[in-house]
Amino acid sequence: MSSWLDYTINGLIVGNVYALVAVGLALIFGVSRLINFAQGSIYLVGAYIGWVAVVQLHTPLPLTIIVVAVAAALVGLIIERFGLRPLQNSVRIAPLLATIGISFVLDQLVMLTFSPNPRALPSQLPDVRFQIGGGTIGPLDLLIAGVGITSALLLFVFLRYSKLGWAVRATAQDRDAAMQMGVDVNRVNQAVFGIAAALGGVSGLLVGMYYNQIDTAMSLQATLKGVVAEVVGGAGNVPGAVIGSLLLGLVESYGVAVFGTSYRNLFAFLLLVVVLVLRPNGLFASARQAPPEPLTGTFIAPSRPVRIPRWALLVAAAAFAILPLFPVSFYVLQTLINAWLLGMLALSLTLVAGTIGQVSLGHAALLAIGAYTSALLSLSFAVPVGLAIIGGGLMSAALGTALISPSFRLRGHYVSIATLAIGEIVSLVILNWESVTRGPIGISGIPPLSLFGYDLVSPSSVYWFSLAVMVVLALLQARLLGSHLGRSFRAIRDDDIAARAYGLSLNRYKSLAFVFGGFAAGVSGGIAAHLYSYINHETFNTQQSILALTVVILGGLGNVVGAIVGSVALVGLPELFRIAAEYRILIYGIVLLLLVRFRPQGLLGTM
């Protein structure tokens, strides 16, 4: 009984920390209708500012909290003013993508400044425990609960009794009407981003003290947990975000008690998917609340695609094909092999995101499914590598489509959130299903690439094989997009209501798009598994999903040639210029920001 009380206390304490992130996300969504994926990066910045204050400057705890809150608020104000305000009149997907780019930039700046090594963050509080019934509670637990409750009360007073708070509520209810009544919505946005950032920064500090450790990889999980709590409570609903955070903390804590620590995150994302499927507006949303608006129709920036002559494409293909015949280093060939593998993933994503309008942020899960299927078929069943790779593609197409199908009824940013959650669930299932996937140990000794019984061991043979597979997939996809089926895909992307009125079955066509896209991604994952000879649950992560989305936007959403060009540009150039290799993730984030701001239609335009 005492252990369950401890788990309950732990769940409520952790839920209070999640609430600081989720409330900030809810405020921003209520005013801007935006899921701010940079909130976790501000949480990271707050943790490291707190580390500097505590360890280097030896500031007392009250002053540390104030310093962290003020510094994080300044970061939030800068993000709003220079990262998001210029996109007010852009396509509606642009601010979401911009927050992802900002997150990349902030995370990498912190890592380059402090190194990726974990650091201890002492709590500055006495290390004692107080007995409560059969459980215990410590000073830090009380501090976190006090900060959470105090923040909620101050926010309630601010929104209920201050003029700026009234303006925030008015803007959240009807932005256009608030502007007509003289509300300065830019000032409201600034206030909201400042408050949200301050809460996020303080939560990073408290989590660092709670676990006595911080590291540069903690931002993504903070963002995901905040998004889960916000969506469970109801997007834009501040009280709902608090309740959703406490519920999430309890679900995680009880899940750990029953199944173990490795299942903590799995329950969080399962809870999110269940809520999205059964009650997309959240558990505590008003029954009169309108459903989220679609991103279709305004998803793609209007443009005229760049038409590349067929002879130019043939010349480029021939040049890449004969490249290994010249004295080229292994490093260059390996870099281009990685570009071809990413190109296959980009082809998959440009089909589902650019052609049918389903913004997937968990696309790396398809890579993982294909990789594990191919590896297990070749190792456990002695299936020839070529057939195993095709089997990986088929499994990724079938299983990936089945997993993602519940999100077909969702609209707006919820589609992106659902795909992100499903991607995390796949990774966590791989981690915990040890009897099949070998869990955290991963799969080693995967047979090398082979074709018709001949092992492809030389860099040149692997290069030609991966290039040929990518070209075949690109030609098949170009053929598909030029058909009646491709035109139906684009009709759904541009206006799903009009497409449904003309008799198109939305779920059927979305399923077909994910089947074709899942096959390409699964083949890429299968080739990667046999190329690397070792894979585990971290081989294909969310960062790869975001990288693929950046590639697709760089080349032009829905543009087959653009997906390949974007892959070569974003993978090849930072690697070929070795001085920039350490900064490649930072480069990806900056490129994404610049594209969203100045060229949302991509280099070659949208199709």
Side-chain angles (χ1 to χ4, degrees), residues 53-106:
V54 172
V55 176
Q56 302 294 325
L57 303 179
H58 306 289
T59 57
L61 183 56
L63 181 58
T64 300
I65 294 175
I66 294 173
V67 167
V68 168
V70 171
L74 289 175
V75 174
L77 293 176
I78 293 171
I79 289 174
E80 189 280 330
R81 178 62 185 85
F82 299 102
L84 298 176
R85 191 181 301 180
L87 301 175
Q88 285 182 348
N89 299 319
S90 300
V91 290
R92 294 180 54 199
I93 193 66
L96 174 69
L97 298 176
T99 63
I100 294 174
I102 291 168
S103 176
F104 268 39
V105 170
L106 287 177

Side-chain angles (χ1 to χ4, degrees), residues 521-542:
V523 167
S524 176
I527 295 174
H530 294 280
L531 180 62
Y532 302 153
S533 77
Y534 171 78
I535 54 175
N536 65 9
H537 70 286
E538 295 180 337
T539 305
F540 309 101
N541 53 32
T542 303

Side-chain angles (χ1 to χ4, degrees), residues 549-574:
L549 184 61
T550 306
V551 166
V552 168
I553 296 170
L554 174 61
L557 283 160
N559 195 313
V560 172
V561 177
I564 299 172
V565 171
S567 299
V568 174
L570 273 191
V571 172
L573 293 181

Side-chain angles (χ1 to χ4, degrees), residues 29 45 47 53 141 216 242 320 358 469 516 521 577 584:
F29 188 89
V45 169
D141 298 328
T216 55
V242 175
F320 280 114
Q358 297 292 108
V469 172
F516 291 125
F577 296 100
R584 61 183 181 274

Side-chain angles (χ1 to χ4, degrees), residues 194-208:
I195 294 170
L199 293 174
V202 171
S203 68
L205 169 68
L206 294 176
V207 166

